[in-house]
Amino acid sequence: MKLVCFSLSGAPRVGVLIENSVIDLSFILGERDERLNMISVLSAGEPLLGRIRETVLSFSDKLQDGGLHVEHMMYSLADVKLMAPIPRPG
């Protein structure tokens, strides 16, 4: 699982890179909160990372079966701008 920071229409987001697509974590976690960022995801630790991992695996299975509507949740890598993983490392 590869976590990425990306920008879509100028808004910074956190996602999971799967092949040539990025799944927006705000949809995986059900949180549309601007405080969701890479630092908050990593700080939450293994419980949250495990939840993300399980959800991404479930999404992958549903995508293969064609049973998942991905609009506004999954974006082509060509449509987003990848950003630095940690915005202000310190």
Side-chain angles (χ1 to χ4, degrees), residues 38-81:
M38 187 65 79
I39 293 171
S40 66
V41 170
L42 296 175
S43 295
E46 188 54 40
L48 179 61
L49 294 173
R51 183 174 150 206
I52 293 168
R53 197 174 296 113
E54 288 176 18
T55 305
V56 167
L57 287 174
S58 174
F59 281 177
S60 295
D61 292 342
K62 290 178 184 175
L63 282 171
Q64 289 177 356
D65 295 340
L68 186 64
H69 183 67
V70 296
E71 186 178 350
H72 304 297
M73 177 183 64
M74 183 177 228
Y75 304 97
S76 167
L77 194 53
D79 295 334
V80 302
K81 178 182 176 187

Side-chain angles (χ1 to χ4, degrees), residues 9-61:
S9 301
R13 300 179 186 210
V14 181
V16 178
L17 181 65
I18 297 179
E19 296 181 19
N20 292 322
S21 299
V22 177
I23 297 176
D24 191 334
L25 276 189
S26 65
F27 291 95
I28 289 176
L29 302 176
E31 297 178 22
R32 296 186 185 233
D33 190 335
E34 291 187 14
R35 293 174 290 174
L36 180 65
N37 59 49
M38 187 65 79
I39 293 171
S40 66
V41 170
L42 296 175
S43 295
E46 188 54 40
L48 179 61
L49 294 173
R51 183 174 150 206
I52 293 168
R53 197 174 296 113
E54 288 176 18
T55 305
V56 167
L57 287 174
S58 174
F59 281 177
S60 295
D61 292 342

